[in-house]
């Protein structure tokens, strides 16, 4: 992960953790979880994709795929995360087909050389994050 990403995490106000407090430590633990998820997303190489579940596991949060999605939703634009590299299970783009977000994610993935057909990325573009 580049230094600029690490530095930019320090600029994010702690209220960005938002949402319900974690049972295991409150807002501090929630913020730490968000930052761990953001760091994993930053580590996905250009031209590759991973799933929400794999991102959560790599961040030390197994079984929290939805929290990975939430982390991308609340991430400040200033972080400039490569959110488009995270897809649902089976390589499916999670946004509703035909939505602006679906088209934007497909456009960004194709620009990085990832084949997208019928709202899914090819298996060859998928990466397990333990490979990184």
């Amino acid at each position: 992960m580049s230094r600029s990403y690490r530095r930019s995490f320090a600029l994010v106000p702690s209220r960005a953790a938002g949402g319900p407090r974690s049972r295991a430590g409150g807002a501090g633990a929630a913020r730490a979880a968000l930052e761990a998820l953001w760091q994993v997303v930053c580590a996905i190489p250009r031209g590759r994709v991973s799933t929400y579940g794999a991102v959560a596991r790599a961040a030390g949060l197994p079984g929290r795929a939805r929290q990975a999605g939430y982390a991308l939703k609340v991430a400040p634009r200033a972080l400039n995360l490569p959110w488009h590299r995270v897809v649902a299970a089976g390589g499916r783009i999670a946004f509703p087909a035909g939505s602006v977000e679906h088209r934007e994610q497909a456009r960004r993935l194709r620009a990085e050389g990832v084949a997208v057909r019928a709202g899914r990325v090819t298996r060859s573009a998928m990466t397990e994050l333990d490979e990184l």
Side-chain angles (χ1 to χ4, degrees), residues 10-97:
L11 302 175
V12 179
S14 60
R15 70 179 182 278
R21 289 183 178 224
S22 168
R23 285 177 248 169
R31 176 156 173 84
L34 288 178
E35 289 182 3
L37 290 161
W38 293 337
Q39 288 175 356
V40 170
V41 171
C42 291
I44 301 170
R46 182 177 177 80
R48 303 298 302 244
V49 298
S50 190
T51 64
Y52 292 103
V55 167
R57 282 190 302 277
L61 302 165
R64 296 198 186 165
R66 288 184 181 195
Q67 189 170 8
Y70 176 78
L72 292 176
K73 180 180 179 179
V74 300
R77 284 189 185 263
L79 290 181
N80 201 24
L81 291 177
W83 60 269
H84 58 282
R85 296 180 189 154
V86 184
V87 295
R92 185 179 55 83
I93 292 178
F95 296 110

